[in-house]
Amino acid sequence: MPDEDKKQSAPRIYAFIGRDDFSVSQKVRAWTKLFEEKHGANGIAVFDCAVNDESIPRLKNSLQGSGLFQTKTLIVVKNIWSAKSSDAQTLLCEKIETLPPTHFLVMVDTSMDGRTSLAKTITQMQKMGLASIELFEVPAGLQLHEWIVKRAQSLGGSF
C-alpha cells in the first residue's frame, strides 16, 4: 500500500485485474494487514458483488465518509465486473470521483469490461494519475519458473 502521508497526488483508487487470483489475493491481504496495523480493523470494508447484491447500501455508506472514530478507510470491492452487478457499478461510477480523501478504494476482478462506464471512468482517472490499474496475468513458461523460485525463496526455501 502506498504511503498515504507522502504525496497528496498519489492514487487512492486501485484496480487489480487478472486471472492470477493467488497474486491478487496476496496483494490485497498484505494491503489489508498493513492498513489494519496503521489504522485499525474498523476502517476496512470488504464487499463481494458475486456473493451479495444486498450489500449495496453498506457500500454506499462506506463510500460517503469515515466512521465516528475512524480516520482512514480501506474499501475492497471484489467481482465488480464478473458479477454483472450494474447497481454496484453505477454506485461506484457516481461516487468514485468524489471519494473522500481519507478513503482508499481497491477493486478486484479477473477482467475489466472496458465498455462499462466504471471502467471508462477508472481508465480516464488513471491517465490523470488519480487511479492505478494493475494487471495480474497467470505466469507461464520462464515467468512461471521465476515465480516459483521467488516464492520458494520468500518462504525460506531454495533450489
Side-chain angles (χ1 to χ4, degrees):
M1 174 177 258
D3 188 359
E4 63 271 13
D5 300 328
K6 281 185 183 176
K7 285 195 322 187
Q8 194 67 12
S9 62
R12 292 177 295 108
I13 299 164
Y14 297 85
F16 300 152
I17 309 297
R19 296 184 46 80
D20 182 2
D21 56 350
F22 178 79
S23 295
V24 171
S25 67
Q26 291 291 100
K27 185 157 189 163
V28 170
R29 188 174 302 135
W31 279 36
T32 303
K33 182 180 178 187
L34 179 63
F35 187 91
E36 185 174 346
E37 289 170 1
K38 287 180 134 185
H39 306 290
N42 289 337
I44 301 171
V46 179
F47 302 92
D48 190 343
C49 296
V51 174
N52 189 351
D53 257 354
E54 297 168 9
S55 63
I56 299 222
R58 282 187 334 119
L59 176 58
K60 184 177 183 178
N61 189 40
S62 294
L63 291 167
Q64 290 176 348
S66 297
L68 182 59
F69 298 106
Q70 193 60 41
T71 58
K72 301 280 184 187
T73 301
L74 173 64
I75 301 169
V76 179
V77 182
K78 300 177 181 179
N79 301 308
I80 190 72
W81 288 280
S82 298
K84 307 288 188 232
S85 174
S86 61
D87 291 342
Q89 287 182 33
T90 301
L91 175 64
L92 282 179
C93 200
E94 290 172 357
K95 301 288 185 182
I96 199 166
E97 293 185 48
T98 59
L99 191 68
T102 57
H103 286 45
F104 293 89
L105 174 63
V106 177
M107 292 165 281
V108 178
D109 212 328
T110 55
S111 64
M112 181 169 69
D113 186 347
R115 300 170 296 175
T116 63
S117 296
L118 179 59
K120 290 175 184 176
T121 300
I122 294 167
T123 303
Q124 189 62 34
M125 291 179 80
Q126 181 184 27
K127 290 177 184 174
M128 297 184 299
L130 301 173
S132 174
I133 301 171
E134 283 187 54
L135 302 178
F136 291 82
E137 297 305 324
V138 176
L142 185 57
Q143 288 178 330
L144 178 58
H145 173 73
E146 291 171 358
W147 183 90
I148 292 169
V149 169
K150 287 179 184 175
R151 180 73 179 152
Q153 289 172 344
S154 73
L155 296 172
S158 65
F159 285 93

